[in-house]
Amino acid sequence: MKNIKLILAFTFLTLIWGCSDGDRIVDQVFDETTSGGILRTLSTNNGTFDFNDPSIGWSVTLEAQDEQNGDLLQAVNVYAGLYRNTALVGTEEFVKEVPASAFTEGKNGLPVGDVIATLTEVANSLGLSPSDYSSTDEFRIRLEYVMTNGQTWSRSDGAGTVLTSSYFKSPYLYTVPFFCSLENASIFNGDYTVTTDSWEDYTAGDVVPVVYDADNGEYTFHILATNNPYLVNADSAYMIVTIDPSDGSVDVTANEDFDYGGDFVVTVTGEGTVATCTGNINLRIDFGPSYTDNAFRLTKN
């Protein structure tokens, strides 16, 4: 299954590289949809909420694109829902509107702007007081591209190419856990359940072992590849995840290249965030220079 996927991916990338530039990909998507709007994630500036300081905002920098190079952007609507044990508590609610005027022209000639939502704003929109949620809960923030022609575009409208590809980086939906101070990374030790793996080494429900050893670094843990069915070197390879204890952001490397057989050997790098209150892991992994930004989400058992 893995080898088939890699062959198809290589063929697809070859076709893309044969085009004059990345805009040809955008043209294809727009031709196959009802003139959609893309909110490309350029960076996640703060991926968590602080339970003790509700004024601290979740923040991303976005690039807006549509068939008129962002000229159809009227606003970005922000929605939020509270989740407990991966289940929605109550209903998703509208939080705020970010007008197109908050965006400025970026280096690609497209609108670029920050979308920020504080815990106070989100909680108020949901009618929640601090006693209604705990640091082990999480919020999910969904964005909606509002167009001047009256159309809207969000997660339910996007194809997988838009939601998960390394070019578009437009998931429209973001998981926002709480940030708790860490003395070390020991909370990230034990078995984890895979909830998302867009690289498709694992299926949802598979178990992945994660190991913390203080000798490897106070804020470092390893995601073992022991249960990876596609790796030739599964018994020895692992991801090295290093936490920034100030905000829960992480960098990912590997102790050795991942060997998928048939001369397909890739260097593994990435970034993401960890839920420092619950131990959950939310990564974006690059497999070599061509297969980038693959979502890899693990929930602690």
Side-chain angles (χ1 to χ4, degrees), residues 52-71:
N52 297 313
D53 188 349
S55 67
I56 294 178
W58 165 86
S59 172
V60 293
T61 300
L62 304 176
E63 181 181 68
Q65 188 169 7
D66 52 51
E67 64 179 354
Q68 295 185 22
N69 294 322
D71 287 346

Side-chain angles (χ1 to χ4, degrees), residues 206-222:
D206 285 348
V207 174
V208 173
V210 175
V211 174
Y212 167 75
D213 185 335
D215 291 340
N216 297 323
E218 193 174 13
Y219 296 106
T220 298
F221 61 87
H222 294 168

Side-chain angles (χ1 to χ4, degrees), residues 62-98:
L62 304 176
E63 181 181 68
Q65 188 169 7
D66 52 51
E67 64 179 354
Q68 295 185 22
N69 294 322
D71 287 346
L72 290 176
L73 177 66
Q74 176 175 304
V76 174
N77 285 339
V78 181
Y79 297 84
L82 173 65
Y83 282 76
R84 182 169 298 139
N85 297 324
T86 71
L88 176 64
V89 178
T91 58
E92 179 191 72
E93 299 293 343
F94 174 79
V95 178
K96 64 192 299 186
E97 176 190 276
V98 181

Side-chain angles (χ1 to χ4, degrees), residues 51-216:
F51 192 83
N52 297 313
D53 188 349
S55 67
I56 294 178
W58 165 86
S59 172
V60 293
T61 300
L62 304 176
E63 181 181 68
Q65 188 169 7
D66 52 51
E67 64 179 354
Q68 295 185 22
N69 294 322
D71 287 346
L72 290 176
L73 177 66
Q74 176 175 304
V76 174
N77 285 339
V78 181
Y79 297 84
L82 173 65
Y83 282 76
R84 182 169 298 139
N85 297 324
T86 71
L88 176 64
V89 178
T91 58
E92 179 191 72
E93 299 293 343
F94 174 79
V95 178
K96 64 192 299 186
E97 176 190 276
V98 181
S101 59
F103 288 69
T104 58
E105 185 175 320
K107 64 179 182 180
N108 296 321
L110 300 170
V112 172
D114 293 339
V115 173
I116 302 170
T118 67
L119 176 56
T120 297
E121 290 175 319
V122 169
N124 288 343
S125 70
L126 294 169
L128 300 175
S129 64
S131 61
D132 294 322
Y133 51 85
S134 70
S135 60
T136 58
D137 295 331
E138 64 185 20
F139 290 91
R140 295 185 189 177
I141 293 179
R142 181 175 64 85
L143 304 181
E144 181 181 64
Y145 196 120
V146 182
M147 299 183 176
T148 56
N149 60 12
Q151 293 182 347
T152 60
W153 193 260
S154 192
R155 185 170 180 82
S156 61
D157 306 301
T161 304
V162 174
L163 300 178
T164 63
S165 78
S166 60
Y167 181 80
F168 290 108
K169 298 182 181 179
S170 184
Y172 304 97
L173 184 70
Y174 302 82
T175 298
V176 188
F178 282 102
F179 175 76
C180 295
S181 61
L182 289 174
E183 293 184 1
N184 54 52
S186 59
I187 188 175
F188 303 96
N189 186 79
D191 287 338
Y192 279 72
T193 298
V194 176
T195 57
T196 302
D197 180 15
S198 60
W199 181 239
E200 297 181 5
D201 275 355
Y202 304 96
T203 58
D206 285 348
V207 174
V208 173
V210 175
V211 174
Y212 167 75
D213 185 335
D215 291 340
N216 297 323

Side-chain angles (χ1 to χ4, degrees), residues 173-298:
L173 184 70
Y174 302 82
T175 298
V176 188
F178 282 102
F179 175 76
C180 295
S181 61
L182 289 174
E183 293 184 1
N184 54 52
S186 59
I187 188 175
F188 303 96
N189 186 79
D191 287 338
Y192 279 72
T193 298
V194 176
T195 57
T196 302
D197 180 15
S198 60
W199 181 239
E200 297 181 5
D201 275 355
Y202 304 96
T203 58
D206 285 348
V207 174
V208 173
V210 175
V211 174
Y212 167 75
D213 185 335
D215 291 340
N216 297 323
E218 193 174 13
Y219 296 106
T220 298
F221 61 87
H222 294 168
I223 302 176
L224 306 187
T226 309
N227 295 341
N228 190 317
Y230 297 107
L231 285 185
V232 174
N233 58 339
D235 288 338
S236 60
Y238 53 84
M239 297 182 191
I240 304 168
V241 182
T242 304
I243 307 169
D244 181 340
S246 68
D247 61 6
S249 62
V250 299
D251 290 318
V252 182
T253 57
N255 68 313
E256 61 189 49
D257 289 347
F258 278 24
D259 184 356
Y260 288 93
D263 296 326
F264 192 84
V265 181
V266 292
T267 300
V268 176
T269 57
E271 59 184 14
T273 59
V274 291
T276 55
C277 303
T278 63
N280 294 340
I281 301 168
N282 187 21
L283 307 178
R284 309 291 296 189
I285 304 298
D286 299 338
F287 294 90
S290 301
Y291 308 94
T292 60
D293 210 49
N294 295 276
F296 190 41
R297 180 172 170 79
L298 305 172

